[in-house]
Amino acid sequence: MQDLEKISSARLTGYWKDLSMGLLILLVVMFLSQALPYYFSPIVALVGAAVMYTMLYNNKLKNLPSCMITIYALFCCMISYSFFSIVINVLYIWGMLELPKELVFFHPPFISSLILDPICAVTLLVIYCRHNNLRYCLNCKFKNGFSIERGKFGELLHKESKNQLLNLFLLFTILSVIVWIYYFTHYDRSADINKRDMYIFSWLNLMMIVLDEAYFAFRYYNLYLDYQESSEIITEQELSDMTVKTYLRFYVICGNSIYLNDKMVDPSMPFRQIIDTPFVTKRNVNGITTAEVEGIIHKMVGVPGHLRFFYGRKNPDLKKHSLLRYFYFLDGTPEDYPEMRVMGKWIDFNRVKHVYNQSPTLINKMMLSDISRMTTIVLTQKIFDQRGYRKIKAKSYQPTYDLLEVRDSDYDFQDDKWIRVAMFNSDSKGFFMRRLWKKMLNQKDDATWG
């Protein structure tokens, strides 16, 4: 499964280009806010927001979408700035709010950075703190898979999206502090804006954004070189020449025990041993029948069992690759199968759950993701109904499950419905307001985010 641990050079370049385009739009908005008549400032920001929304929409329609959380954050910044500046100016006109002349865009000297910088800093902080639970991010994860499911590129997106948001938050926080300290200590409000004022309020913002553009270009070029040196980059030519591959992962289960190898080599750290299923294989085919899959695992295990589909996904970053997971249930007890054709041992599932909760880094990332999905779907169905309401009102209720229950149940692990319910239910903030809103719009009353 080494291909799944590689990053497409085109995807990495595209990720940087999207960020650069977002910063460029922000740069143009800042410049035009000073170059055009001041009352055009919120309009220019709304136009910039519209361009960013187009980027977000086009990315959603792509076969290979990228992570656009930073563009989404900048989009929110533009909307927030326009809304806030318009509201305070309308209140000023109505005589309901006193404003210094530098915050009024109907006449000079309007200084947009006094509003834009703090608004961007606050908006970026909120999105940085909530980005794992944002509706935009969750819909992307449901459609394209969680970062842990997307291999190396998924790890990169998860890490870099946080770095980008933190970088921009710190940038606008510093700019906010600078412009407001200068405004209160060195700016002469009784005189016209001079060259030094213009430098601090306008050119400093523009230069810092340009420097940030250069920083990210330098950062991602060095990341590319690092991945290339460690043979973790795959080019577009290599992708086009690559044959279609279907990876198969099997979890062999007997009773409440699962057959695992606790001495598997960690792909990211070859000197480290982790726990994983030893029943992993691949076929250079596009699609495979259940009978063929059953023949493969029967040959690997050497004893008859009952095959059941777990779930599967196509890799959105390596479009010719798909990964399918299966359960293979054996009758009897683990003692009936003291030896298998592959190295490993029977481990009680309660022990696996203990390691999963206490030391998850000892488990292979792919297996960790699979256990998380199984646990989330099973426990969510025990606690909530399909609409997200609690079946059992006592919040102290903590259900459990075992592999015997999984075997005898009809759980559909492929369907993301219960993942959505787990993330948005009656225990979530804003749940009842969203239910009310859906009823007002005559939408289906379920726990989806759409």
Side-chain angles (χ1 to χ4, degrees), residues 64-270:
L64 299 174
S66 183
C67 177
M68 301 282 278
I69 180 61
T70 305
I71 305 301
Y72 175 79
L74 294 176
F75 164 78
C76 293
C77 290
M78 296 295 97
I79 295 293
S80 300
Y81 165 70
S82 299
F83 177 78
F84 184 79
S85 59
I86 290 173
V87 168
I88 63 172
N89 275 268
V90 168
L91 293 177
Y92 171 77
I93 293 173
W94 290 347
M96 300 174 64
L97 182 67
E98 287 295 326
L99 288 177
K101 60 183 180 179
E102 291 79 14
L103 301 184
V104 179
F105 55 58
F106 292 108
H107 52 72
F110 174 64
I111 303 174
S112 60
S113 59
L114 291 175
I115 302 176
L116 180 62
D117 291 349
I119 287 291
C120 286
V122 172
T123 304
L124 287 162
L125 176 61
V126 171
I127 292 179
Y128 177 79
C129 294
R130 296 195 65 250
H131 84 282
N132 285 328
N133 297 313
L134 286 175
R135 175 182 173 183
Y136 177 80
C137 290
L138 290 173
N139 283 334
C140 177
K141 291 174 182 177
F142 290 137
K143 180 182 177 182
N144 305 305
F146 288 75
S147 57
I148 196 172
E149 297 179 85
R150 297 179 67 172
K152 197 72 175 180
F153 190 63
E155 293 179 21
L156 172 72
L157 293 180
H158 180 72
K159 179 181 178 181
E160 288 303 311
S161 63
K162 294 179 67 174
N163 286 342
Q164 290 173 9
L165 291 173
L166 182 59
N167 171 281
L168 291 174
F169 162 68
L170 293 175
L171 172 65
F172 280 105
T173 299
I174 293 171
L175 288 174
S176 300
V177 171
I178 291 174
V179 296
W180 276 101
I181 287 179
Y182 181 85
Y183 175 78
F184 284 118
T185 59
H186 293 82
Y187 174 67
D188 186 357
R189 279 169 272 184
S190 62
D192 293 334
I193 291 183
N194 56 41
K195 290 184 178 180
R196 186 179 66 179
D197 300 335
M198 198 68 179
Y199 174 80
I200 295 296
F201 291 132
S202 299
W203 294 111
L204 179 62
N205 281 260
L206 297 176
M207 286 190 297
M208 292 298 287
I209 296 297
V210 171
L211 288 174
D212 220 33
E213 283 261 27
Y215 162 75
F216 281 115
F218 180 78
R219 175 178 177 81
Y220 289 118
Y221 180 68
N222 276 275
L223 273 177
Y224 171 80
L225 294 179
D226 290 342
Y227 286 130
Q228 189 178 50
E229 185 176 349
S230 58
S231 301
E232 293 177 301
I233 286 289
I234 186 168
T235 65
E236 283 296 289
Q237 183 62 41
E238 290 174 322
L239 278 174
S240 62
D241 294 340
M242 188 177 291
T243 59
V244 176
K245 295 180 181 178
T246 300
Y247 291 91
L248 303 173
R249 285 178 62 86
F250 299 95
Y251 294 101
V252 177
I253 297 169
C254 184
N256 193 42
S257 297
I258 182 169
Y259 195 82
L260 300 172
N261 186 348
D262 58 359
K263 300 186 183 301
M264 299 287 282
V265 176
D266 188 343
S268 59
M269 299 180 184

Side-chain angles (χ1 to χ4, degrees), residues 153-427:
F153 190 63
E155 293 179 21
L156 172 72
L157 293 180
H158 180 72
K159 179 181 178 181
E160 288 303 311
S161 63
K162 294 179 67 174
N163 286 342
Q164 290 173 9
L165 291 173
L166 182 59
N167 171 281
L168 291 174
F169 162 68
L170 293 175
L171 172 65
F172 280 105
T173 299
I174 293 171
L175 288 174
S176 300
V177 171
I178 291 174
V179 296
W180 276 101
I181 287 179
Y182 181 85
Y183 175 78
F184 284 118
T185 59
H186 293 82
Y187 174 67
D188 186 357
R189 279 169 272 184
S190 62
D192 293 334
I193 291 183
N194 56 41
K195 290 184 178 180
R196 186 179 66 179
D197 300 335
M198 198 68 179
Y199 174 80
I200 295 296
F201 291 132
S202 299
W203 294 111
L204 179 62
N205 281 260
L206 297 176
M207 286 190 297
M208 292 298 287
I209 296 297
V210 171
L211 288 174
D212 220 33
E213 283 261 27
Y215 162 75
F216 281 115
F218 180 78
R219 175 178 177 81
Y220 289 118
Y221 180 68
N222 276 275
L223 273 177
Y224 171 80
L225 294 179
D226 290 342
Y227 286 130
Q228 189 178 50
E229 185 176 349
S230 58
S231 301
E232 293 177 301
I233 286 289
I234 186 168
T235 65
E236 283 296 289
Q237 183 62 41
E238 290 174 322
L239 278 174
S240 62
D241 294 340
M242 188 177 291
T243 59
V244 176
K245 295 180 181 178
T246 300
Y247 291 91
L248 303 173
R249 285 178 62 86
F250 299 95
Y251 294 101
V252 177
I253 297 169
C254 184
N256 193 42
S257 297
I258 182 169
Y259 195 82
L260 300 172
N261 186 348
D262 58 359
K263 300 186 183 301
M264 299 287 282
V265 176
D266 188 343
S268 59
M269 299 180 184
F271 56 85
R272 183 168 171 265
Q273 293 180 334
I274 54 176
I275 302 170
D276 194 15
T277 174
F279 302 104
V280 180
T281 186
K282 73 173 180 180
R283 292 295 184 269
N284 295 328
V285 294
N286 184 17
I288 187 169
T289 66
T290 302
E292 291 174 318
V293 173
E294 193 162 10
I296 292 170
I297 185 58
H298 183 272
K299 186 176 181 180
M300 295 175 72
V301 176
V303 294
H306 305 280
L307 183 71
R308 178 179 168 185
F309 180 66
F310 185 4
Y311 79 104
R313 287 191 188 277
K314 280 189 174 294
N315 191 306
D317 308 306
L318 301 175
K319 54 186 177 182
K320 292 186 178 181
H321 292 56
S322 57
L323 177 60
L324 306 178
R325 289 91 160 170
Y326 291 88
F327 296 120
Y328 194 65
F329 296 103
L330 304 182
D331 294 326
T333 64
E335 289 74 20
D336 298 331
Y337 312 97
E339 294 184 3
M340 291 282 186
R341 292 182 177 178
V342 295
M343 183 182 295
K345 62 183 179 181
W346 292 105
I347 301 179
D348 187 83
F349 190 59
N350 291 324
R351 172 61 182 166
V352 175
K353 288 193 289 186
H354 176 78
V355 176
Y356 169 81
N357 291 320
Q358 302 298 324
S359 305
T361 56
L362 297 178
I363 301 176
N364 176 278
K365 292 179 181 178
M366 199 74 69
M367 181 177 170
L368 196 66
S369 172
D370 295 343
I371 295 176
S372 296
R373 185 179 188 86
M374 178 172 63
T375 301
T376 301
I377 289 176
V378 172
L379 297 186
T380 301
Q381 290 192 56
K382 289 175 177 283
I383 300 173
F384 302 99
D385 62 21
Q386 295 187 34
R387 299 181 303 158
Y389 291 97
R390 271 188 169 270
K391 295 178 181 178
I392 299 175
K393 302 303 181 183
K395 292 188 177 182
S396 59
Y397 170 62
Q398 297 292 332
T400 60
Y401 78 103
D402 56 29
L403 296 177
L404 291 168
E405 179 184 344
V406 173
R407 174 173 181 166
D408 297 334
S409 71
D410 58 353
Y411 294 125
D412 183 0
F413 295 106
Q414 179 68 25
D415 193 349
D416 289 330
K417 173 179 64 180
W418 292 104
I419 304 291
R420 294 174 183 268
V421 173
M423 293 187 170
F424 188 68
N425 51 63
S426 58
D427 290 352

